[in-house]
Amino acid sequence: MHPHTAPHTDPHTDPHTDPHTDPHSPPDPRRWTALGLICAAQFMLILDVTVVNVALPALAADLDLGRATLTWVVTAYTLCFGGLMLLGGRLADALGARRVLLTGLALFTAASLACGLAPNAGVLLGGRVAQGVGAALLSPAALALVTTAFRGGAERAKALGVWAAIGGTGSAVGVLLGGALTEGPGWPWIFYVNVPVGLALLAALPRVLPDHRPGRPAGGGLDVPGALLVTTATGALVYGLVRAGDSGWTSAATLLPLLGALALYGAFAAVERASRAPLMDLRMLTRRPVVAGSLLMLVATALLIAFFFLGSMQLQHVYGLGAFRTGLLFLPVALTTAIGAHLGSRLVTTAGPRACSAGGLALAALGCLPLTFVTAGANPWATLLPALAVAALGLGAVFVAATTTALGLIAPHEAGLASGIVNTFHELGGSLGVAVVSTLALTAGTEPPPPGGFTTAFTFCTVTAAAALTIPFLIPRGTPRLTGGPHGVH
């Protein structure tokens, strides 16, 4: 709904009077079942970000792929996933989160089958693009449904805590599963595994998701120019960040996409101000909870993905471990991420998101600090993995604080847009984290990275976590806990 239009009065079109989002109606008894299924779908999307990395050598051998093509096997998915996220969130608001989620899930499942059957690079890359489009539809719609199904208080914090734990555990399990499937039945199964899961979810989700019709956007249409601009801008930004990891921050391949992204975002802002039915109400970005939560999500994701990247590189290149054993060693890190999210969901309802996010960032900095002076010959069981597990414990809590801060008190009719913003920052954080630490680790331009490169990269992570302690102060004091209903906070 455009902010200047009068609210609808029809209960079938007005999100404020719909029985599924009306704060005075009884909660849906199927909401916890729906949460479990929605999280399973999101887990599949996050898994697909990292599961492919381990299989790249096998893909290159079977399909005769060059290094540049291999990069696009990973990047094509993350570009579309991150670039189309805002559009997916707006479509969830305009067409209904349930409909958009199921459409995205169906597309992702079909694209996964196409990737597994791919006989050449063209089909594989096309399938990865389609997977990214499906993910960009599914993810913000899924988070919007979680936000509207749980209407504030400790219950919403707990639900968002479960959601937040998916990000870290999905990335870690992706490394393990990718190694196991590639060394076992073969690389096509990193894609085939999505098909039965997707089909089962498509059969089960319609039975538990609320079926209500959303309010239509003012002006009766979708802002196509705005959608194209913001999608292209975000795609250029993600691409520039990815290229920075390969070419460095001063190369034309990095700077041109980043500068182009800034120009396109400026054009998007101008179009949105002039549009009668904007894709995004820019005043959403003036809300301190949304801004603070999105920045926390950016930092937490950047740090966690950086930890997985650096830890995986160190275990394989310095300690000589294989892909499967490396993934297996990261399971404790995934477990502590989930534990941190569980503890964070309790802390935000008692101490508030300020304390939760500040404590989590401090723990992440303290956990990473020992890695800034670890020597190459140190035992990873006594140094690397315990330090990353402690840092991941703190980041798990930050994920919860970020999600609940940005979405905890958002209005139901804005849930899709706000979810799209938070998810976009999640994807940008992952790309930014890998781009920065890979550039720092490869300080001498050599591969594998020298020991000093790892020290520099972990020092940067420690300083970043400490500097991010300023972000919690953006969270308004007036909304320290999730005790209210689902109304907007400005």
Side-chain angles (χ1 to χ4, degrees):
M1 182 185 295
H2 191 271
H4 301 297
T5 57
H8 298 283
T9 56
D10 183 352
H12 297 291
T13 59
D14 179 20
H16 295 291
T17 58
D18 189 286
H20 296 286
T21 57
D22 180 5
H24 302 295
S25 64
D28 192 331
R30 304 169 298 176
R31 64 194 183 283
W32 289 107
T33 302
L35 175 66
L37 295 175
I38 289 172
C39 284
Q42 176 70 7
F43 185 83
M44 188 167 58
L45 305 187
I46 299 299
L47 193 80
D48 236 56
V49 175
T50 56
V51 72
V52 176
N53 290 322
V54 181
L56 290 179
L59 279 165
D62 281 6
L63 301 182
D64 192 23
L65 305 181
R67 185 178 182 275
T69 305
L70 281 179
T71 300
W72 277 106
V73 171
V74 177
T75 306
Y77 179 68
T78 56
L79 274 176
C80 294
F81 195 175
L84 292 169
M85 198 80 74
L86 281 178
L87 179 59
R90 186 66 182 95
L91 287 173
D93 286 336
L95 304 178
R98 179 182 188 269
R99 182 187 304 176
V100 173
L101 183 150
L102 294 175
T103 301
L105 179 59
L107 178 58
F108 182 87
T109 303
S112 297
L113 179 61
C115 288
L117 296 172
N120 53 53
V123 176
L124 178 62
L125 291 178
R128 291 292 280 170
V129 168
Q131 278 189 312
V133 174
L137 294 174
L138 192 161
S139 191
L143 186 51
L145 284 167
V146 173
T147 302
T148 54
F150 298 89
R151 306 170 194 156
E155 190 174 81
R156 178 181 280 188
K158 183 177 180 180
L160 292 177
V162 174
W163 174 274
I166 294 300
T169 55
S171 299
V173 174
V175 177
L176 173 62
L177 187 63
L181 292 176
T182 302
E183 293 182 8
W187 68 261
W189 283 92
I190 66 174
F191 301 111
Y192 288 153
V193 71
N194 294 328
V195 178
V197 177
L199 291 175
L201 291 172
L202 283 170
L205 278 168
R207 302 179 182 182
V208 297
L209 293 180
D211 186 14
H212 61 281
R213 303 178 69 179
R216 296 292 176 180
L222 187 66
D223 178 16
V224 176
L228 291 175
L229 283 170
V230 75
T231 299
T232 307
T234 308
L237 180 58
V238 173
Y239 178 71
L241 294 174
V242 171
R243 291 299 302 168
D246 294 330
S247 306
W249 289 95
T250 59
S251 69
T254 300
L255 292 177
L256 289 178
L258 294 180
L259 292 174
L262 291 177
L264 288 168
Y265 277 127
F268 169 71
V271 167
E272 296 308 282
R273 290 191 184 97
S275 176
R276 293 183 57 195
L279 177 72
M280 177 181 178
D281 180 5
L282 295 178
R283 289 179 298 180
M284 179 75 75
L285 296 179
T286 66
R287 302 182 187 182
R288 288 172 59 188
V290 175
V291 173
S294 298
L295 290 176
L296 286 171
M297 181 63 73
L298 178 79
V299 171
T301 308
L303 288 174
L304 189 65
I305 298 301
F307 291 158
F308 283 128
F309 176 84
L310 292 172
S312 177
M313 290 275 287
Q314 200 162 17
L315 288 172
Q316 293 186 68
H317 290 299
V318 177
Y319 298 103
L321 301 183
F324 178 72
R325 288 186 65 192
T326 297
L328 194 63
L329 289 176
F330 269 107
L331 281 182
V333 180
L335 181 61
T336 56
T337 305
I339 294 173
H342 174 71
L343 296 175
S345 66
R346 295 191 173 192
L347 188 58
V348 293
T349 60
T350 55
R354 268 193 174 192
C356 181
S357 56
L361 288 169
L363 195 59
L366 290 174
C368 193
L369 183 60
L371 300 178
T372 62
F373 50 82
V374 169
T375 60
N379 186 341
W381 283 102
T383 55
L384 178 67
L385 296 176
L388 292 182
V390 171
L393 181 69
L395 292 178
V398 177
F399 279 121
V400 178
T403 309
T404 54
T405 297
L407 303 175
L409 299 174
I410 204 73
H413 68 285
E414 298 174 318
L417 173 58
S419 300
I421 293 172
V422 173
N423 279 314
T424 298
F425 273 76
H426 181 280
E427 292 305 307
L428 290 178
S431 299
L432 182 61
V434 171
V436 173
V437 298
S438 63
T439 303
L440 293 174
L442 294 167
T443 49
T446 60
E447 194 171 350
F454 286 115
T455 301
T456 302
F458 280 123
T459 300
F460 173 82
C461 292
T462 305
V463 172
T464 299
L469 285 167
T470 59
I471 299 176
F473 291 100
L474 293 175
I475 302 173
R477 289 186 178 275
T479 55
R481 298 173 181 85
L482 286 180
T483 55
H487 52 279
V489 176
H490 295 268

